């Protein structure tokens, strides 16, 4: 009773709430009749309840007044409200209590706590059924459900800490780590807490962070009063909607009570001990059709017109092709027994015929169209005809190579005459002691270009017999090789062709497969350095009917748009759970690793709360960074058909066979249209109907595709880019080639016209005219060339949970590149692995090790960091045609500092923590343009944020540069740019670009074409029909800050200013600084050039 009294006294001390109650009492009983008339005069939202729509000004039954109105006399004194014999009825009592809790920054509201306070006001018990009725009336505004007890915690204390303090943690500190860490994956806490809260109870002052994060509410009395009144108004509207939609002869009270039964929460623990009543998940053969599932989605209570666009592509029947030369009976039998193949699609037959004629081939058809058959079948033929023949299959990832190796082994085993054939994987994971046996005994090798570059070619003398007998080099997923990596791979293939020619083999047939790209033959020609390529794009494979959906999360409350939309993460995971329960096998693609882990964590929580551990056991995450053992286990489970759902990054975007998938959900628009279509193609791989759903987030790029969905299907895919004219890349590989075999000027046939100049200047010439590797690259030049970009140091993440418990041994969870580790492991932060949460206890930057301990927490952490990109020295200066301004090229310094982190739950900041982390400093080459002073002045005079203008201008320039994928710029963060307080970290008014991975010469080439790119960017932005920016002009899928800080008009002003074009000042509308944000940009200083630098003419 004393606790009751304390709650009521605390509540009654809240001045703003008391003022509101006092005003309510003054209005008296007539208030409700007036409010009802006022509410019914407003526009009503459509109701899903069937029946005749009634007229407005509906008379409320007494029952609804009892649910809502305040029956206090004017004679009641505010100061003694807790002693008043009158009754505050259910809704207003709950509304007042929850508003009070929100104002006091309580971050979770357990029903027992709320109930005690409400009952103190009501002077009678508060029943679950009464709250359930309110939930039925306002399903989107009221959250009334059980959650795991540990989800309320806001501190990660160990049990020993709680015991030493001699108290029970008020925020539900974790159980013993032994219990937590010993649970099986997918099984969470078995104790749950009933929570009651309003969806808007975490909203306070207007956000300044681009709708990404918000600080905990800090509401004044006036704000609390406004919040209570807005909720009251929503209640009135909901009652009027129900009454208006109630059919004649029906009792709205009984309808409400009936609906409320479905909203009485069931304790998951109690449900887990009751007989299982959940519907079994249908088998893949028994699942409903996709069209039926979409119709069912639209009938759900939670559906609020999220589907903003739906496209249905009809099924396509198979078209059969014929071989010009029949296969042997043995191979035909093997295809029937292992793959059930009795005929070939048109594109398969065309490719096999071309290979038989020793033509180089590229096949560019849809996902799951059977492209691997086109090079596997010819290999079987070659091996039948010549047992000494060899083949090499190259894949971009080890997982894909492993998958394809298994498929070929099954095919060979089904072919009686070829069971003796030895197939092996030769990559970085191959043990040294097995490598000699593989070289000498394997007929088919599965590898990657990294291994070809660093291991096979440098030791060509050990591979001569294999390469002499090589018949086919097949490269899968050719579209993957683009930009910097593609440019390196092009030189590796030229080195490979040169070595094959040196051992007397000029008959190797090159075969490649690719997803649908614009000019496949041209891409293969540039990558392989060959002239004649047979291009096959006529897809004869069947495909099932496919539905594409664009899914926009609904408003939290459609009558209060300021509350924002529901999170894309929660929408995607809810949709995934819905589909899985109906037998739809789903893959959820996330853009980054952390999102992948967070999605898996969300699924664990939601499925555990529903008691569906049977489903949770069949959902797994998959991303880069996992150990080889974990990856193989997950791949096996997926391929075996044991999984119902996979949460993945684009690591599964490529063609790894992970079994039958019926649906793809993309959490946010991927990195480009090619990725969008590649990911969508992962569903419906065996001619069944399927669906692909893009769940849009709040970023401007996603919202562009919500408004203009035609672009997803009609816009052309970006052509893969190969950089063959980079002296830096060609020189690097010539140093490697000279180590493998001495180079001569005749090798121009392989390496192109740059060879002669590079050999004379950079290599060592002997007396016989041969060129050798420069001594500074010896003894092993290949280690100086990272074909995937600069190699990074790696941090090891170690689980020390058992050590903390007094046990023995630690477990390595994964390795993180330095560029990731800084943002993912910092002391006190939450690290996620396979959907499980760990607290980072210690980070040693000297040893590059992070020690973590298992803890079930319901928050995540996000680093507080900044990256400064500064020009330090100028190497070259170049004119911009007809402009007094200049382009600069030189040395830049990039400094990244992680100085703290946010503790976050549901996008709300729970705590702000400082950490001491050493800065990550690196240097490179870059290109920059300084924004003219008069342009800055114009931007400010028109109220345009200089930071937004510069940020968008950088993106516009990069969108016009073919090799922009290998460049980075300094993206502007909303957390800084929307602050009203002055920033101590002012940035120069400069467009700056630098190489993200090593020194490939991309920025030097960018300088040579920068003026043309600048004009192209200006024309694109000016002519683009969009209003606020799109992916064609100023938005970038690669923007680390989600394109939040952007300005199309500002970008145009900057670009025209640099080009010295006339600007119509009067035609620029004055912008409104909505957040009263401070200016963070200062005029750029001149960067000192090295001696002898002269301005180059345009």
């Amino acid at each position: 009773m004393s606790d009751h009294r304390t709650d009521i006294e605390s509540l009654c001390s809240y001045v703003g709430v008391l003022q509101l109650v006092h005003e309510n009492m003054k209005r008296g009983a007539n208030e409700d009749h007036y409010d009802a008339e006022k509410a019914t005069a407003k526009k009503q939202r459509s109701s899903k309840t069937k029946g005749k729509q009634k007229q407005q000004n509906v008379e409320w039954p007494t029952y609804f007044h009892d649910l809502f109105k305040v029956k206090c006399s004017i004679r009641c004194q505010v100061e003694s409200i807790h002693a008043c014999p009158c009754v505050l009825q259910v809704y207003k009592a709950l509304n007042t209590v929850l508003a009070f809790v929100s104002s006091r920054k309580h971050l979770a509201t357990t029903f027992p706590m709320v109930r005690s306070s409400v009952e103190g006001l009501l002077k009678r018990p508060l029943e679950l059924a009464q709250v359930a009725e309110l939930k039925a009336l306002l399903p989107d505004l009221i959250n009334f459900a059980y959650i795991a007890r540990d989800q309320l915690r806001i501190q990660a204390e160990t049990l020993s800490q709680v015991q030493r303090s001699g108290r029970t943690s008020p925020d539900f500190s974790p159980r013993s780590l032994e219990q937590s860490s010993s649970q099986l994956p997918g099984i969470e806490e078995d104790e749950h807490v009933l929570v009651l809260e309003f969806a808007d109870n975490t909203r306070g002052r207007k956000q300044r962070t681009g709708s990404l994060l918000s600080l905990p509410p800090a509401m004044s009395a006036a704000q609390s009063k406004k919040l209570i009144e807005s909720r009251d108004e929503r209640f009135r509207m909901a009652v009027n909607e129900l009454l208006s939609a109630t059919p004649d002869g029906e009792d709205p009270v009984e309808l409400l009570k009936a609906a409320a039964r479905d909203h009485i929460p069931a304790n998951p623990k109690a449900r887990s001990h009751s007989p299982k009543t959940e519907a079994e998940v249908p088998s893949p053969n028994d699942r409903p059709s996709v069209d039926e599932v979409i119709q069912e989605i639209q009938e759900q209570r939670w559906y609020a017109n999220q589907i903003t666009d739906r496209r249905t592509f009809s099924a396509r029947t198979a078209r059969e092709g014929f071989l010009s030369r029949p296969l042997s009976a043995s191979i035909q039998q093997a295809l029937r027994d292992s793959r059930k193949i009795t005929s070939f699609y048109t594109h398969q037959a065309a490719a096999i015929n071309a290979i038989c004629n020793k033509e180089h081939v590229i096949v560019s058809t849809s996902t799951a169209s059977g492209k691997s058959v086109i090079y596997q079948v010819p290999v079987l033929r070659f091996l039948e005809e010549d047992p000494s023949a060899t083949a090499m299959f190259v894949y971009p990832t080890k997982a894909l190579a492993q998958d394809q190796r298994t498929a070929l082994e099954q095919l060979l085993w089904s072919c009686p005459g070829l069971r003796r054939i030895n197939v092996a994987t030769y990559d970085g994971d191959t043990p040294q002691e097995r490598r000699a046996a593989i070289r000498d005994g394997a007929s088919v090798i599965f590898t990657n270009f990294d291994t070809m570059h660093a291991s096979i070619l440098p030791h060509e003398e050990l591979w001569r017999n294999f390469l002499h007998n090589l018949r086919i080099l097949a490269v899968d997923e050719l579209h993957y090789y683009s930009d910097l990596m593609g440019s390196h791979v092009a030189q590796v293939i030229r080195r490979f062709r040169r070595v094959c020619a040196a051992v007397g083999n000029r008959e190797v047939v090159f075969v490649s497969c690719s997803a649908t790209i614009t000019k496949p033959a041209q891409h293969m020609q540039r990558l392989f350095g060959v002239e004649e390529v047979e291009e096959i794009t006529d897809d004869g494979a069947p495909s099932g009917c496919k539905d594409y959906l664009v899914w926009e999360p609904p408003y939290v409350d459609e009558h209060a748009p300021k509350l924002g939309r529901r999170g894309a993460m929660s929408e995607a995971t809810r949709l995934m759970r819905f589909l899985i329960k109906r037998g739809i096998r789903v893959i959820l693609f996330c853009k980054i690793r952390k999102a992948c882990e967070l999605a898996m964590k969300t699924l664990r929580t939601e499925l555990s709360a529903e008691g569906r551990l049977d489903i949770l056991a069949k959902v797994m995450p998959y991303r880069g960074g996992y150990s080889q053992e974990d990856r193989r286990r997950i791949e096996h489970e997926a391929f075996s058909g044991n999984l119902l759902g996979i949460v993945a990054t684009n690591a599964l975007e490529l063609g790894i066979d992970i079994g039958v998938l019926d649906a793809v959900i993309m959490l946010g628009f991927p990195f480009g249209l090619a990725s969008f279509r590649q990911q969508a193609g992962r569903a419906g791989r065996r001619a069944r109907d399927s669906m692909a759903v893009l769940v849009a987030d709040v970023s401007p790029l996603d919202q562009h595709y919500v408004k203009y969905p035609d672009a997803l299907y009609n816009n052309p895919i970006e052509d893969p880019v190969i950089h063959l004219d980079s002296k830096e890349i060609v020189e690097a590989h010539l140093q490697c080639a000279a180590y493998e075999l001495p180079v001569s000027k005749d090798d121009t046939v392989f390496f192109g016209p740059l060879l002669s100049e590079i050999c004379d200047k950079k290599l060592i010439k002997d007396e016989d005219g041969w060129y050798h590797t420069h001594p500074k690259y010896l003894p092993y030049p290949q280690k100086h060339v990272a074909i995937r970009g600069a190699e990074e140091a790696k941090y090891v993440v170690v689980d020390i949970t058992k050590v903390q418990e007094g046990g023995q041994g630690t477990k390595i969870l994964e390795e993180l590149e330095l560029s990731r580790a800084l943002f993912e492991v910092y002391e006190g932060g939450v690290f996620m692995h396979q959907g499980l949460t760990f607290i980072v206890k210690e980070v040693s930057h000297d040893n590059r090790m992070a020690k973590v301990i298992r803890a079930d927490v319901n928050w995540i952490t996000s680093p507080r960091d900044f990256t400064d990109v500064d020009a330090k020295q100028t190497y070259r200066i170049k004119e911009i045609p007809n402009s007094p301004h200049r382009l600069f090229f030189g040395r830049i310094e990039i400094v990244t500092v992680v100085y703290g982190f946010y503790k976050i739950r549901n996008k709300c900041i729970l705590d702000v923590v400082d950490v001491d982390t050493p800065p990550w400093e690196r240097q490179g080459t870059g290109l920059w343009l300084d924004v003219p002073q008069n342009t800055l002045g114009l931007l400010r005079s028109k109220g345009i944020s200089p930071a937004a203008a510069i940020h968008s201008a950088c993106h516009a320039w990069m969108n016009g540069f073919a090799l922009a994928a290998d460049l980075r710029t300094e993206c502007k963060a909303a957390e800084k740019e929307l602050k009203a307080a002055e920033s101590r970290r002012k940035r120069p008014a400069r467009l700056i670009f630098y190489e993200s991975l090593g020194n490939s010469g991309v920025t030097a080439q960018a300088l040579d074409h920068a003026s043309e790119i600048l004009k192209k960017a200006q024309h694109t932005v000016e002519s683009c029909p969009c209003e606020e920016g799109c992916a064609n002009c100023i938005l970038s899928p690669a923007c680390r800050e989600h394109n939040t800080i952007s300005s199309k008009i500002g970008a145009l002003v900057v670009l025209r200013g640099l080009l010295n074009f006339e600007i119509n000042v009067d035609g620029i509308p004055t912008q409104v600084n909505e957040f009263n944000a401070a200016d963070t940009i200062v005029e750029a200083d001149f960067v000192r050039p090295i001696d002898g630098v002269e301005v180059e003419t345009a």
Side-chain angles (χ1 to χ4, degrees):
M1 187 66 187
S2 61
D3 290 339
H4 265 195
R5 191 74 178 176
T6 301
D7 286 339
I8 301 301
E9 289 174 353
S10 179
L11 176 61
C12 293
S13 68
Y14 185 50
V15 177
V17 173
L18 293 179
Q19 289 175 340
L20 177 61
V21 173
H22 187 63
E23 291 172 5
N24 283 343
M25 293 187 296
K26 284 183 177 180
R27 284 197 293 267
N30 291 333
E31 173 206 50
D32 293 315
H33 178 71
Y34 168 77
D35 286 339
E37 290 184 346
K38 177 182 175 183
T40 53
K42 292 181 177 290
K43 181 180 179 181
Q44 300 292 301
R45 66 176 181 179
S46 61
S47 174
K48 296 181 180 179
T49 307
K50 295 181 180 180
K52 183 179 178 181
Q53 197 76 8
K54 295 187 177 180
Q55 299 299 317
Q56 303 294 333
N57 301 326
V58 182
E59 182 69 24
W60 282 24
T62 304
Y63 187 84
F64 293 104
H65 287 285
D66 289 341
L67 268 179
F68 175 62
K69 77 176 185 180
V70 182
K71 295 183 176 179
C72 282
S73 166
I74 298 178
R75 295 187 299 272
C76 293
Q77 295 299 313
V78 170
E79 292 76 5
S80 60
I81 189 170
H82 59 276
C84 176
C86 300
V87 180
L88 287 169
Q89 296 299 332
V90 177
Y91 184 80
K92 281 200 171 182
L94 280 175
N95 194 359
T96 302
V97 169
L98 288 173
F100 166 72
V101 169
S102 298
S103 71
R104 292 292 293 269
K105 300 187 180 181
H106 287 240
L107 294 165
T109 51
T110 62
F111 183 63
M113 185 275 291
V114 174
R115 178 186 238 169
S116 65
S117 298
V118 171
E119 289 178 343
L121 294 175
L122 292 175
K123 302 303 181 185
R124 59 180 172 83
L126 175 65
E127 301 297 336
L128 286 176
Q130 294 174 300
V131 182
E133 290 169 7
L134 297 177
K135 170 71 172 174
L137 275 172
L138 299 166
D140 296 327
L141 191 61
I142 295 176
N143 178 28
F144 188 40
Y146 280 95
I147 64 172
R149 177 179 293 272
D150 74 293
Q151 292 185 36
L152 297 185
R153 289 184 283 118
I154 59 173
Q155 298 297 333
E157 297 176 340
T158 65
L159 183 62
S160 59
Q161 288 174 318
V162 177
Q163 290 172 339
R164 283 197 301 270
S165 68
R167 60 174 174 81
T168 301
S169 174
D171 44 33
F172 304 100
S173 292
R175 301 174 298 151
S176 70
L177 290 169
E178 179 180 3
Q179 289 174 291
S180 178
S181 62
S182 64
Q183 289 176 319
L184 294 174
I187 300 178
E188 293 293 327
E189 305 281 1
D190 59 358
E191 295 183 10
H192 292 75
V193 176
L194 184 57
V195 169
L196 172 62
E197 60 187 1
F198 281 97
D200 57 357
N201 74 336
T202 58
R203 302 289 176 172
R205 299 192 180 101
K206 193 168 188 178
Q207 293 174 224
R208 295 181 177 273
T209 55
S211 299
L212 299 178
L213 296 175
S214 63
L215 290 169
M219 293 186 291
S220 64
Q223 288 173 319
S224 294
K225 174 183 174 181
K226 185 177 180 180
L227 178 64
I228 292 173
E229 289 177 336
S230 67
R231 290 173 179 170
D232 286 351
E233 182 66 20
R234 286 292 293 112
F235 180 88
R236 297 185 186 98
M237 294 176 68
V239 172
N240 286 322
E241 288 172 10
L242 173 61
L243 297 179
S244 298
T246 301
D248 291 333
E250 295 281 353
D251 184 352
V253 174
E254 293 303 318
L255 289 177
L256 178 62
K257 289 183 176 181
R261 295 188 192 106
D262 293 333
H263 292 280
I264 297 177
N267 191 321
K269 181 178 180 181
R271 185 168 56 206
S272 66
H273 293 294
S274 62
K276 187 174 181 179
T277 59
E278 293 90 351
E280 295 289 340
V281 176
S283 68
N285 295 328
D286 297 329
R287 70 163 175 83
S289 70
V290 166
D291 184 64
E292 291 171 334
V293 170
I294 294 175
Q295 289 183 24
E296 189 179 358
I297 288 172
Q298 293 173 323
E299 294 170 358
Q300 297 303 302
R301 178 186 56 78
W302 47 262
Y303 180 73
N305 298 316
Q306 287 98 322
I307 299 174
T308 60
D309 185 75
R310 178 181 178 182
R311 308 289 171 97
T312 302
F313 292 85
S314 302
R316 185 180 64 220
T317 58
R319 290 182 294 115
E320 186 177 339
F322 301 94
L323 300 185
S324 57
R325 177 183 160 200
L327 298 175
S328 69
S330 178
I331 295 178
Q332 291 183 43
Q333 177 186 337
L335 289 169
R336 280 195 306 271
D337 294 346
S338 66
R339 308 275 183 87
K340 299 180 180 179
I341 295 175
T342 57
S343 62
F344 295 102
Y345 304 135
T346 52
H347 65 279
Q348 293 173 329
I352 294 171
N353 290 336
I355 295 171
C356 183
N357 295 330
K358 297 189 176 181
E359 299 177 46
H360 305 311
V361 174
I362 181 169
V363 178
S364 178
T365 54
S366 61
T367 306
S369 56
K371 291 190 285 289
S372 60
V373 170
I374 71 169
Y375 53 82
Q376 291 174 350
V377 168
V379 166
L380 297 186
R381 265 185 173 169
F382 288 137
L383 290 171
E384 273 191 335
E385 297 168 355
D386 181 5
S388 66
T390 61
M392 187 177 291
F393 297 163
V394 182
Y395 300 90
T397 66
K398 296 175 183 177
L400 186 54
Q402 180 77 12
D403 178 50
Q404 293 296 322
R405 174 189 164 180
T406 301
L408 181 62
E409 286 177 330
Q410 292 173 348
L411 184 58
L412 288 169
W413 184 252
S414 300
C415 193
L418 297 177
R419 291 181 179 177
R420 58 178 172 75
I421 296 298
N422 185 13
V423 175
T425 299
Y426 194 95
D427 59 25
D429 294 336
T430 304
Q432 289 290 336
E433 60 271 17
R434 291 195 57 231
R435 297 192 174 195
I438 293 173
R439 286 193 300 264
D440 297 335
S443 296
V444 182
I445 285 178
F446 290 76
T447 188
N448 50 55
F449 282 115
D450 307 82
T451 303
M452 183 184 289
H453 159 68
S455 181
I456 296 175
L457 292 176
H459 303 289
E460 55 82 25
E461 71 280 2
L462 303 176
W463 288 88
R464 288 179 182 176
N465 184 61
F466 185 94
L467 295 177
H468 179 75
N469 295 309
L470 188 68
R471 296 293 176 265
I472 285 183
L473 174 70
V475 181
D476 203 2
E477 308 287 353
L478 199 72
H479 61 278
Y480 180 86
Y481 303 103
S482 181
D483 303 312
L484 179 60
M485 184 180 182
S487 303
H488 277 292
V489 165
Q491 300 302 324
V492 172
I493 293 176
R494 285 157 172 75
R495 286 161 50 197
F496 180 83
R497 290 175 49 223
R498 175 173 173 265
V499 170
C500 286
V503 299
N505 186 358
R506 296 179 181 272
E507 303 297 324
V508 180
V509 176
F510 299 120
V511 182
S512 61
C513 301
S514 171
T516 304
I517 55 178
T518 307
K519 301 172 183 176
Q522 177 180 302
H523 182 49
M524 183 174 178
Q525 288 168 343
R526 289 177 59 79
L527 197 66
F528 283 74
V530 295
E531 295 182 359
E532 299 295 329
V533 172
E534 179 69 18
E535 178 182 283
I536 298 173
T537 58
D538 183 21
D539 192 346
S543 66
C545 177
K546 174 166 284 188
D547 280 280
Y548 286 80
L549 306 180
V550 176
W551 185 284
E552 184 177 29
Y555 288 110
V556 172
D557 183 351
E558 63 180 325
H559 295 284
K562 290 183 179 180
L563 293 178
R565 296 185 180 273
R566 294 191 179 277
M569 176 74 73
S570 62
E571 286 288 297
T573 53
R574 177 165 62 180
L575 179 60
M576 186 175 185
R577 288 184 288 118
F578 180 88
L579 295 175
I580 288 175
K581 291 173 186 175
R582 282 143 186 84
I584 304 291
R585 295 176 184 260
V586 187
I587 183 168
L588 171 60
F589 278 112
C590 305
K591 290 195 286 187
I592 59 175
R593 295 181 182 184
K594 191 166 185 177
C596 176
E597 293 292 350
L598 185 56
M600 187 64 216
K601 181 179 183 295
T602 303
L603 287 168
R604 286 185 187 278
T605 301
E606 293 170 342
L607 289 170
S608 296
E610 293 175 356
R612 296 309 302 262
L613 302 185
D614 58 323
I615 293 178
L616 184 52
K618 295 184 178 182
V619 179
M620 288 186 175
Y622 186 99
R623 63 168 175 81
Y626 286 170
S627 67
Q628 181 181 354
E629 293 77 16
D630 284 342
R631 292 199 308 271
R632 298 291 182 264
R633 174 176 57 84
I634 298 168
E635 290 160 12
H636 173 74
E637 289 292 310
F639 180 75
S640 302
N642 296 332
L643 297 186
L644 296 172
I646 302 173
V647 183
T649 58
N650 60 1
L652 282 183
E653 184 178 300
L654 301 176
I656 303 170
D657 191 349
I658 49 176
V660 179
L661 291 173
D662 304 305
V664 167
I665 301 174
M666 290 165 271
L667 181 55
F669 181 72
F671 297 108
L673 281 174
S675 290
F676 170 80
R677 295 174 190 174
Q678 185 78 359
Q679 290 180 9
R682 292 315 310 264
R685 291 176 62 84
R686 295 182 184 174
R688 295 198 63 182
D689 63 339
S690 60
M691 62 190 298
V693 186
L694 171 62
V695 179
D697 62 28
V698 297
S699 73
L701 186 60
D702 282 44
Q703 292 304 306
H704 169 74
Y705 287 110
V706 170
K707 294 178 181 177
Y708 308 102
D710 286 347
L712 293 171
Y713 316 102
N714 300 334
N715 284 10
I717 294 177
E718 309 86 348
D719 290 329
V721 177
I722 301 297
H723 186 20
L724 297 178
D725 301 323
S726 167
K727 291 183 180 180
E728 290 82 357
I729 293 177
V730 175
E731 182 203 340
H733 286 276
L734 280 175
Q735 299 287 359
C736 296
Y739 176 83
E740 294 149 10
L741 295 169
V743 173
S744 74
K745 294 290 182 72
D746 294 336
D747 289 326
T748 300
V749 66
F750 297 109
F751 298 102
L754 292 175
L755 178 140
S756 179
E757 177 187 352
I758 292 173
C759 283
D760 290 337
K761 293 183 178 180
K762 302 294 184 178
L763 275 68
I764 303 299
K765 185 178 182 181
D766 65 20
E767 57 186 15
D768 296 323
W770 295 95
Y771 293 89
H772 301 269
T773 304
H774 193 283
K776 70 179 180 180
Y777 296 108
L778 296 174
Y780 189 66
Q782 284 77 9
K783 75 176 183 180
H784 296 280
V785 183
I787 68 172
R788 294 179 187 264
E791 293 287 345
E792 291 187 49
K794 292 187 176 182
Y795 279 59
V796 178
V797 181
V798 180
D799 181 5
I800 61 168
T801 302
K802 292 186 177 180
V803 175
Q804 292 280 332
E805 296 170 359
Q808 295 182 352
T810 59
K811 178 184 178 182
I812 295 178
L813 294 181
E814 59 182 275
E815 291 185 342
L816 290 174
E817 300 87 349
L818 172 60
S819 58
R820 295 182 187 273
L822 287 177
F823 302 105
E824 295 190 25
V825 286
Y826 34 82
E827 293 181 5
V830 174
F831 179 75
M832 287 185 287
H833 177 79
Q834 295 192 15
L836 302 175
T837 51
F838 299 79
I839 299 296
V840 181
K841 303 298 289 185
E842 179 185 345
V843 179
S844 171
H845 295 286
D846 293 333
N847 298 325
R848 296 196 178 95
M849 177 183 293
K851 296 179 180 180
V852 300
I853 189 167
R854 177 77 174 92
D856 294 318
V857 297
N858 190 39
W859 68 85
I860 60 172
T861 52
S862 178
R864 300 159 59 210
D865 64 90
F866 64 82
T867 296
D868 285 345
V869 184
D870 291 309
K872 293 297 183 182
Q873 193 169 42
T874 302
Y875 298 159
R876 294 174 61 188
I877 305 175
K878 192 170 182 178
E879 288 182 344
I880 298 175
N882 304 314
S883 173
H885 312 301
R886 300 289 182 261
L887 295 156
F888 301 93
F889 173 83
R891 178 172 61 87
I892 63 165
E893 182 177 86
I894 309 104
V895 179
T896 299
V897 178
V898 177
Y899 58 90
F901 64 87
Y902 297 114
K903 188 181 289 185
I904 300 166
R905 178 190 291 144
N906 297 330
K907 296 187 179 180
C908 180
I909 299 172
L910 308 182
D911 198 5
V912 182
V913 182
D914 294 330
V915 296
D916 184 14
T917 302
W920 179 30
E921 300 176 351
R922 59 264 193 219
Q923 293 188 350
T925 55
L927 160 73
W928 64 92
L929 303 90
D930 292 339
V931 178
Q933 186 176 4
N934 62 336
T935 302
L936 274 180
L938 175 58
L939 291 171
R940 289 174 175 137
S941 69
K942 292 295 183 177
I944 300 172
S945 164
I950 292 170
H951 189 200
S952 296
C954 287
H955 283 171
W957 189 93
M958 293 175 72
N959 286 344
F961 182 42
L963 293 170
D966 299 320
L967 294 183
R968 296 291 181 270
T969 190
E970 186 180 281
C971 289
K972 308 302 183 184
E975 285 78 6
K976 175 189 176 186
E977 304 301 338
L978 298 183
K979 281 186 176 179
E982 284 290 327
S983 173
R984 291 178 296 176
R985 195 173 63 89
K986 301 279 189 177
R987 302 301 300 145
R990 176 174 289 150
L991 281 66
I992 191 164
F993 312 95
Y994 64 99
E995 295 185 42
S996 59
L997 298 170
N999 181 23
S1000 64
V1002 173
T1003 50
Q1005 185 183 16
L1007 177 72
D1008 294 334
H1009 301 280
S1011 294
E1012 294 89 336
I1013 299 168
L1014 196 65
K1015 291 179 182 177
K1016 179 180 178 182
Q1018 175 268 327
H1019 175 74
T1020 300
V1021 174
E1022 191 154 14
S1023 61
C1024 189
C1026 70
E1027 294 181 6
E1028 297 180 354
C1030 66
N1032 295 326
C1033 55
I1034 66 165
L1035 303 183
S1036 169
C1039 180
R1040 186 169 178 264
E1041 302 299 338
H1042 313 285
N1043 297 284
T1044 305
I1045 303 301
S1046 63
S1047 170
K1048 182 179 179 181
I1049 186 68
L1052 186 59
V1053 169
V1054 169
L1055 295 171
R1056 291 186 70 89
L1058 288 168
L1059 290 166
N1060 200 34
F1061 286 179
E1062 183 179 352
I1063 299 175
N1064 180 10
V1065 176
D1066 295 334
I1068 301 174
T1070 301
Q1071 309 295 303
V1072 177
N1073 188 345
E1074 184 180 3
F1075 297 101
N1076 194 30
D1079 193 345
T1080 63
I1081 300 297
V1082 295
E1083 187 177 354
D1085 293 331
F1086 183 71
V1087 180
R1088 182 178 61 84
I1090 60 175
D1091 294 338
V1093 172
E1094 296 182 358
V1095 177
E1096 303 171 24
T1097 58

